[in-house]
Amino acid sequence: MREVISSSLSDSEGKPEFDQDLVDAMRWFDLSDHDRALTSELGDIADDVGERIIEAFYTHLLADETASRHFRDDAHIAQVKKGQMRYFRELINADLDSSYIADRRRIGSIHERTGVTPTLYIGAYAFYLNKLANVVLDRMEDDPAKAFSMVLSLFKIAHFDMALALETYADTREEAIKARERELSELPTPVLQLRPGLLLIPVVGTLDSYRARALTIQLLEGIQEHRARAVVLDITGVAAVDSAVANHLIQTMAAARLMGAQPVLTGLSAEVAQSLVKVGVTAEALSTAGDLQRGIELAEHLLGE
Amino acid sequence: MQVPAPLDAMVQAIRRDADVISARQMGRALAEDLGFSRPDQALVATAISELARNIVVYADHGEIELTTLQQGDRQGIRIIARDHGPGIADLERALCDGFSTGNSLGLGLPGTRRIMDEFDIRSPPGEGVTIIAVKWQLR
């Protein structure tokens, strides 16, 4: 069910089609055609009082300093009001299909981008529902049971809407985090020449396979460019060292060796060294030195100085 | 839908490399809170790292659940690694050093088994992999 609501974002660009995910999602919200039929009957009342509720809402909204900051001028307010009218009309009687979901998600992502917080969004929603429900119960005094079930159906759809919006918020954030991670992993690792023939590469952050590949390329290019014969790879700044990271390091160092440079690994903490050995990473594949200074000394020794 | 974790459990969803780091840090912090020695904190963190990494590489997504155990006057950390991936066809081989269907050292599972006090792995066909590993505090 969760997939629904999140996966429909990627579908939104393509053709809207009826899918199993949507069916599952609607089942989870206990939403049926019956609910849709009931809320559609609210159409007249909603149209009738919609504008008034929205006006009241804006009075409420513009009185709030944080919320009112979202509006530039009256023209902007008018435009957003129009959008809101449409939004609430669709809540009452739009078909709950893939294009509805895509549209709700689009609105969610606009909200996320423009800084409309979930509190603001859900608060606005609650305001509208509360006002509308009161009007409905009022006007249908002669059939309160029916009025109540109409309102309940409306609440179901509203919750479905809010779930869509929140999923979109989370997805948008997640995309942003992923993009940042990609940027970070693309940060170049400096290749420093300490003296002719000797390179130092401080590795910082997370060493995933993408980054390890980039590191290997940089290392090999550095060896070629500087005609290096020894390379000190310092991993003091690597957040987590496990067998996968060790594997990347072993391969990077093997590549350096093939290029004719002696690699020395430094910066393993005592705890990490111990756990790597227990995991089964053997030291034969890695020439290591206790700390950076010793690493450089060892590299110099390897250079024959 | 999955069986909910016990209330005192900490759960980290594992979907990508960054989650491996989060799970690892969560484990290290828990081990530190319980007063595990520094080397043992590193062992717990490494075990979580290996198990979480396997989830990312082989199953795409899953979760790591950490629970504190109490036995007499000593405490332990239970790691449950759960995924709904393709599962492991040959558990016995998967637990051998150097065996890997990916391009890795093949130390993740046997290594984790070595550094933990208790280790149990299950992979019923079609149900992914569940690994339960426990590290007890040294007395």
Side-chain angles (χ1 to χ4, degrees), chain A residues 18-87:
Chain A
F18 188 75
D19 49 57
Q20 187 57 39
D21 288 341
L22 179 58
V23 174
D24 290 346
M26 292 185 44
R27 189 178 305 135
W28 177 244
F29 278 82
D30 190 27
L31 263 176
S32 65
D33 293 341
H34 178 64
D35 292 303
R36 204 10 132 200
L38 272 176
T39 62
S40 294
E41 287 183 52
L42 289 172
D44 287 343
I45 300 181
D47 280 349
D48 192 21
V49 298
E51 218 156 318
R52 234 182 315 142
I53 295 180
I54 286 182
E55 287 306 327
F57 171 65
Y58 274 83
T59 313
H60 169 68
L61 182 90
L62 295 173
D64 183 279
E65 204 185 316
T66 324
S68 63
R69 240 181 273 148
H70 286 280
F71 298 97
R72 292 188 297 271
D73 49 34
D74 290 348
H76 186 211
I77 294 179
Q79 187 202 338
V80 178
K81 273 184 193 168
K82 227 167 77 188
Q84 229 149 33
M85 280 297 283
R86 185 178 67 87
Y87 190 97

